[in-house]
Amino acid sequence: MLAKSSTELVRQRNSALVLSALRRHGPLAHTELSDFTKLSSATVSVITADLERAQIIEKAEQQAASGRGRPRVLFSQRRDCGYLIVVVISSDAVQYSLVDYAGRLIDRFTEDRPQEVSGVGSFVASLRDALSRIVARSQLSRDKVLMISISSKGLVDASEPVLRWSPIFGRDEIDFAAVLRDEWPAKIILGNETLLVASALGRQEENRKGFDFRALAALSLGHSIGLGIVRRDDEGGHHISAPNFGHMMHVPGGGLCRCGARGCIEAYAGFYAMLRTAFDVPLDTIPAKFVPIAELDKIAASARHGGRRNQLAFRQAGLALGNGLSRVLSLHERMPIVITGPGVRYYDLLIEGIQEGLAESHVVRMEGMPELRVIVDEQTLVFEGHLNRALSIIDNDVVRRGASVVELRDQAV
Amino acid sequence: MLAKSSTELVRQRNSALVLSALRRHGPLAHTELSDFTKLSSATVSVITADLERAQIIEKAEQQAASGRGRPRVLFSQRRDCGYLIVVVISSDAVQYSLVDYAGRLIDRFTEDRPQEVSGVGSFVASLRDALSRIVARSQLSRDKVLMISISSKGLVDASEPVLRWSPIFGRDEIDFAAVLRDEWPAKIILGNETLLVASALGRQEENRKGFDFRALAALSLGHSIGLGIVRRDDEGGHHISAPNFGHMMHVPGGGLCRCGARGCIEAYAGFYAMLRTAFDVPLDTIPAKFVPIAELDKIAASARHGGRRNQLAFRQAGLALGNGLSRVLSLHERMPIVITGPGVRYYDLLIEGIQEGLAESHVVRMEGMPELRVIVDEQTLVFEGHLNRALSIIDNDVVRRGASVVELRDQAV
DNA sequence: CTAAATTTCTCGACTGTCGAGAAAAAAATC
DNA sequence: GATTTTTTTCTCGACAGTCGAGAAATTTAG
């Protein structure tokens, strides 16, 4: 059953609309807000006045008048309205970033994760410590931090910030909400890394191509394989999801995967899997935990000079990816695929297998080969995705807390 | 970018809420409407008055007063507000039903589809003819038909009523909107058959289990294999989709499928495929167009009495289904699977393979075996799904045409 | 016939959006 | 320098929508 609607909800939605226009286009004047949101000038006045009173946005400094007529006054987020901490967990390090409400980076540091003592307990301890440190360095009080946005590779719960499975901690689950609840009033969200990449790409795509954007998949190649899908619904919202692509079954009873199952896509297309094929190690060998990328570079170099066994490694990886992608396309609509992650450096060796793996399927025969694109810089996209997702959730929360606005208004009278 | 909100939209949404409560629970009194929708009594008064004025709902006959106090007056849809034609295309026949706005069946007939002359042209001609006939028999004018809801097996376009591929017409596409536009002012919608089954099951599930329903997959077994997925979003709406499951790749380069590709799930689990395995016919043999179910019954009987080759046919079909389902679960969340269609009569022979095919995968190892349920009566679900989908779209359209309401109000003054 | 119970309807208060026009403020013009 | 033009922002009144409270309607119980 759908929820009822009311005039307050209208205000909430339209306020959120104003904030999202500000996010998308930077500081905007009254008139521009009215243009972007299609709201009437009068409505924009009321909403901006409310938001200003609630200390969420502020009028920017008078800018140099650029034309004639009354000069514009720009609205922008109040940077001190609240803060966001972004935590990017990767296999060898954890990056912590402190960001203000306007999306500007204030502080950042990276902590190496020792390979040996990789228990969940010690990781959580260092997480707690680092989070304390990052607010201390900027002399912020904890309750000014509105959200902690965490990302990792692996399988993330759909509704709660729980890491179900990860290449780093395996089946040792981490419930970040439970871990941080007592120390941090902030909202905790967790996202699969490639999900965030997809989110960032979706935003870019919409800005670029306007309204013909429908859906897009991001495929991240590396030690593990990630997939993120972003789709635009009828009302213009973006739905993002992170399928468990790397561990989708490729060949029943096939090569042993890091996850303990057999025949996963990752067991053919992950870095360790390509190494395994190249060295002709039996497929049921327990996979190496970490593969120095230099190793793979050597294999790639050999393959590029005609080494058959090494070519085969990349070809099999490509086939696994192509077959898997064809299955994804069977279950969704046709969409462009953006390939990223450290593995794109072997794109020239993988592409043939990928295309062959795609070509055999019914969907591709019907609708043609999907558009394949390559983007090298994954890290920037991950961070962008964090900001997209976190700040837009914060905006919605902030707007929902209408009570505080009313409070302030009452005090003013 | 999201659309702006306004007070009219609030009214639209809440009117739709009232109509949907009426759909879900049958005729309701003022108080009950207020309870179900959580709208205040005053609001319900205004909305029902508007809808009554617009001749969309009506006050029912005074019912026998059941308690003391002022007796309730029940609101219900005006049956003559508009009509819906439901067209169910199956491999050997097409069923036409005429339904009024309250969802009551008025007329129904079935036309056999001759197997030999199965061109799109002759099919469209007989469709046109049958549609004309069904309104003529009830002496309805065509513009009272608000919607024609069509279903077929096969691949349906996501946004337009275009049949992209079907087991009946192959790659000969049918654009139902284009075909019927000149003769029918009605809105034309087309849905995959199993999508509608999923929709009906989703509705049932929500009514039964209340709010803990998250998602559900319907799997239809028969000559071809269909899958429908229904998911509840955060706001309580249902999203339904019909993946191209039957033609998802099972084994690269595997058995030849009716669609012309190789290795589709259907090429292992469709009726013709099971027959092929049972008779040990080479996998690249062009599949039989139609398989009399008595043939398969014989094979099943033999399998149940220990016939190894015949057992293998069902086992391989089960494996294909199980592997495919495991891939679906990898790409979505865990959800119960409801199996239906004529193939459920062989469920006892298939289940072992299905479970084995599921068991090997990462998701199932992680989250456990999904709940499997069997429902025999598929036809009823298909029709229910048609009504669900079509009538709720009609409700939304009717409510959106607020202009007419205003018009009528002006005339009344 | 009156009181109690129950449902429906109505009224005033409040919130929200919108269009039009007033007010503000800078550049252009005389 | 005063006036006009242009552009932007603000304000006011009209209108649409929801809500709570209580009045009105209508039946049963006693």
Side-chain angles (χ1 to χ4, degrees):
Chain A
M1 185 66 109
L2 273 75
K4 73 173 178 182
S5 202
S6 66
T7 49
E8 286 123 274
L9 251 170
V10 169
R11 165 57 65 87
Q12 266 178 38
R13 283 185 65 92
N14 287 341
S15 299
L17 203 58
V18 166
L19 288 181
S20 99
L22 244 35
R23 289 263 170 245
R24 197 180 299 266
H25 302 105
L28 293 179
H30 183 110
T31 342
E32 295 166 314
L33 280 175
S34 170
D35 286 351
F36 282 128
T37 60
K38 312 287 179 207
L39 292 169
S40 78
S41 163
T43 306
V44 172
S45 279
V46 179
I47 290 177
T48 50
D50 267 13
L51 291 175
E52 207 182 346
R53 196 163 24 228
Q55 313 210 319
I56 295 165
I57 64 173
E58 61 189 350
K59 287 192 173 122
E61 291 310 300
Q62 213 73 323
Q63 60 168 1
S66 59
R68 65 167 153 184
R70 180 171 171 174
R72 307 178 152 189
V73 294
L74 300 182
F75 290 99
S76 60
Q77 296 93 352
R78 279 192 66 140
R79 303 179 55 175
D80 58 354
C81 166
Y83 297 86
L84 160 71
I85 301 180
V86 171
V87 182
V88 178
I89 304 171
S90 52
S91 57
D92 52 350
V94 185
Q95 183 195 63
Y96 297 88
S97 311
L98 180 65
V99 178
D100 68 23
Y101 182 62
R104 264 173 283 235
L105 183 65
I106 297 177
D107 189 11
R108 169 177 282 175
F109 58 80
T110 300
E111 303 233 299
D112 289 342
R113 240 176 33 74
Q115 304 284 347
E116 294 76 31
V117 281
S118 59
V120 166
S122 73
F123 168 73
V124 166
S126 77
L127 171 70
R128 277 216 175 85
D129 181 56
L131 288 175
S132 301
R133 206 131 36 83
I134 204 165
V135 288
R137 279 173 34 155
S138 296
Q139 290 164 344
L140 282 179
S141 103
R142 294 192 175 203
D143 50 324
K144 289 294 268 181
V145 176
L146 300 179
M147 182 172 282
I148 302 177
S149 176
I150 308 173
S151 71
S152 164
K153 292 183 192 300
L155 188 55
V156 161
D157 189 276
S159 45
E160 286 161 290
V162 176
L163 187 59
R164 296 278 178 217
W165 185 90
S166 64
I168 304 170
F169 303 108
R171 292 198 63 159
D172 292 339
E173 296 195 348
I174 307 181
D175 181 342
F176 287 100
V179 163
L180 299 174
R181 191 174 317 151
D182 47 345
E183 284 186 59
W184 293 89
K187 192 167 184 171
I188 317 286
I189 64 172
L190 171 67
N192 171 286
E193 195 174 284
T194 317
L195 173 103
L196 297 176
V197 172
S199 161
L201 288 170
R203 167 74 64 97
Q204 286 182 7
E205 201 74 354
E206 188 164 64
N207 278 354
R208 198 151 55 87
K209 295 209 287 184
F211 278 177
D212 60 343
F213 165 63
R214 285 280 314 160
L216 181 144
L219 175 66
S220 169
L221 306 179
H223 296 283
S224 57
I225 307 293
L227 188 78
I229 294 180
V230 51
R231 270 172 303 168
R232 228 173 70 93
D233 63 22
D234 309 327
E235 290 98 41
H238 284 193
H239 282 230
I240 46 180
S241 58
N244 193 6
F245 182 75
H247 300 283
M248 187 166 89
M249 183 188 294
H250 173 46
V251 176
L256 184 63
C257 177
R258 270 197 293 184
C259 71
R262 293 182 147 276
C264 297
I265 289 180
E266 191 180 296
Y268 291 83
F271 280 178
Y272 69 86
M274 298 198 276
L275 206 68
R276 193 162 61 182
T277 317
F279 284 138
D280 211 1
V281 175
L283 282 180
D284 53 355
T285 311
I286 301 215
K289 262 235 152 174
F290 292 99
V291 177
I293 200 141
E295 278 304 300
L296 265 174
D297 279 346
K298 268 189 269 177
I299 294 170
S302 151
R304 290 192 182 103
H305 287 87
R308 303 302 287 268
R309 185 79 220 170
N310 294 339
Q311 283 176 348
L312 180 69
F314 290 103
R315 199 184 137 66
Q316 287 204 344
L319 272 175
L321 294 171
N323 282 340
L325 287 174
S326 92
R327 288 169 179 141
V328 171
L329 296 180
S330 289
L331 295 186
H332 293 96
E333 60 194 311
R334 181 182 146 83
M335 59 181 86
I337 295 161
V338 179
I339 304 179
T340 181
V344 294
R345 57 167 73 190
Y346 313 122
Y347 186 70
D348 58 324
L349 296 164
L350 292 167
I351 180 62
E352 199 189 326
I354 292 178
Q355 284 182 330
E356 190 183 323
L358 275 166
E360 306 176 50
S361 69
H362 176 71
V363 251
V364 174
R365 285 166 53 106
M366 285 280 303
E367 304 175 354
M369 192 64 81
E371 181 191 346
L372 295 175
R373 249 177 290 163
V374 171
I375 290 190
V376 175
D377 183 7
E378 188 180 26
Q379 284 315 302
T380 309
L381 290 176
V382 172
F383 189 68
E384 233 177 79
H386 267 288
L387 294 192
N388 270 357
R389 198 162 94 115
L391 291 175
S392 94
I393 294 175
I394 290 179
D395 281 348
N396 276 301
D397 285 356
V398 142
V399 149
R400 223 188 308 280
R401 291 193 320 228
S404 65
V405 177
V406 174
E407 251 174 59
L408 286 162
R409 183 184 309 151
D410 288 348
Q411 287 172 14
V413 171
Chain B
M1 185 66 109
L2 273 76
K4 73 172 176 182
S5 203
S6 66
T7 50
E8 286 124 274
L9 251 169
V10 169
R11 166 56 67 86
Q12 266 178 38
R13 283 184 65 92
N14 286 341
S15 300
L17 204 59
V18 166
L19 287 181
S20 99
L22 244 35
R23 288 262 170 247
R24 196 180 298 266
H25 302 105
L28 294 179
H30 184 108
T31 341
E32 296 165 314
L33 280 175
S34 170
D35 286 351
F36 281 127
T37 60
K38 312 288 178 205
L39 293 169
S40 78
S41 163
T43 306
V44 172
S45 279
V46 180
I47 288 178
T48 52
D50 267 13
L51 291 176
E52 208 182 346
R53 196 162 26 227
Q55 312 211 319
I56 295 166
I57 63 173
E58 61 188 351
K59 287 190 173 127
E61 292 310 298
Q62 213 73 322
Q63 61 169 0
S66 58
R68 66 166 148 183
R70 181 171 170 175
R72 308 179 152 187
V73 294
L74 300 183
F75 290 100
S76 61
Q77 296 93 352
R78 277 193 67 141
R79 303 179 56 173
D80 59 354
C81 167
Y83 297 87
L84 160 70
I85 301 179
V86 171
V87 182
V88 179
I89 304 170
S90 52
S91 57
D92 52 351
V94 185
Q95 182 195 65
Y96 297 88
S97 310
L98 180 65
V99 179
D100 69 22
Y101 181 63
R104 264 175 282 234
L105 183 64
I106 297 177
D107 189 12
R108 167 176 283 174
F109 58 78
T110 301
E111 302 232 300
D112 289 343
R113 241 174 32 74
Q115 304 284 346
E116 294 76 31
V117 282
S118 60
V120 167
S122 72
F123 168 73
V124 166
S126 76
L127 172 69
R128 276 215 176 86
D129 181 56
L131 289 176
S132 301
R133 208 133 34 84
I134 204 164
V135 289
R137 278 172 36 154
S138 297
Q139 290 164 343
L140 281 179
S141 105
R142 293 192 175 202
D143 50 323
K144 288 295 268 181
V145 175
L146 300 179
M147 182 171 282
I148 301 177
S149 176
I150 308 172
S151 70
S152 165
K153 293 183 192 299
L155 189 54
V156 162
D157 189 276
S159 46
E160 285 161 291
V162 177
L163 186 59
R164 296 278 178 217
W165 185 91
S166 63
I168 304 170
F169 304 107
R171 292 198 63 160
D172 291 339
E173 296 194 348
I174 307 180
D175 181 341
F176 287 100
V179 163
L180 299 174
R181 191 175 316 151
D182 47 346
E183 284 186 61
W184 294 88
K187 190 166 185 172
I188 317 287
I189 64 172
L190 171 67
N192 171 286
E193 195 174 283
T194 317
L195 174 103
L196 297 176
V197 172
S199 160
L201 288 171
R203 166 74 66 97
Q204 285 182 7
E205 201 74 353
E206 188 164 64
N207 278 354
R208 198 150 55 86
K209 293 209 288 185
F211 278 177
D212 59 344
F213 165 63
R214 285 281 313 161
L216 179 146
L219 175 66
S220 169
L221 305 179
H223 296 284
S224 57
I225 307 294
L227 188 78
I229 294 179
V230 51
R231 269 171 304 167
R232 228 172 70 92
D233 63 21
D234 310 327
E235 289 98 42
H238 284 194
H239 283 231
I240 46 181
S241 58
N244 193 6
F245 181 74
H247 301 282
M248 187 165 91
M249 182 189 293
H250 173 47
V251 176
L256 184 63
C257 177
R258 271 197 294 185
C259 73
R262 292 180 147 276
C264 298
I265 288 179
E266 192 180 297
Y268 291 84
F271 279 178
Y272 71 85
M274 296 197 279
L275 206 67
R276 192 163 61 183
T277 316
F279 284 139
D280 212 1
V281 176
L283 283 180
D284 54 355
T285 311
I286 302 215
K289 260 235 152 175
F290 292 99
V291 176
I293 200 141
E295 279 302 303
L296 266 174
D297 280 346
K298 268 188 269 177
I299 294 172
S302 150
R304 290 193 183 105
H305 287 86
R308 304 302 286 267
R309 186 77 219 170
N310 294 339
Q311 283 176 348
L312 180 69
F314 290 103
R315 198 185 137 66
Q316 287 204 345
L319 272 176
L321 294 171
N323 282 339
L325 287 173
S326 91
R327 287 169 179 141
V328 171
L329 296 180
S330 290
L331 295 185
H332 292 97
E333 59 195 311
R334 180 183 147 83
M335 58 181 86
I337 294 162
V338 178
I339 304 180
T340 181
V344 294
R345 57 168 72 188
Y346 313 123
Y347 186 71
D348 58 325
L349 297 164
L350 292 167
I351 179 61
E352 199 189 326
I354 292 178
Q355 284 182 330
E356 189 182 324
L358 274 165
E360 306 176 47
S361 69
H362 177 70
V363 251
V364 174
R365 286 166 52 107
M366 285 280 304
E367 304 175 355
M369 193 65 80
E371 181 191 345
L372 295 175
R373 247 178 290 164
V374 171
I375 290 189
V376 175
D377 183 8
E378 187 180 27
Q379 284 315 302
T380 309
L381 290 176
V382 172
F383 189 68
E384 231 177 81
H386 267 288
L387 294 192
N388 270 357
R389 198 163 91 115
L391 291 175
S392 94
I393 294 175
I394 290 180
D395 281 348
N396 275 300
D397 285 356
V398 142
V399 150
R400 223 188 307 280
R401 291 192 321 230
S404 66
V405 177
V406 174
E407 250 174 59
L408 286 163
R409 183 183 310 153
D410 289 348
Q411 286 173 13
V413 170

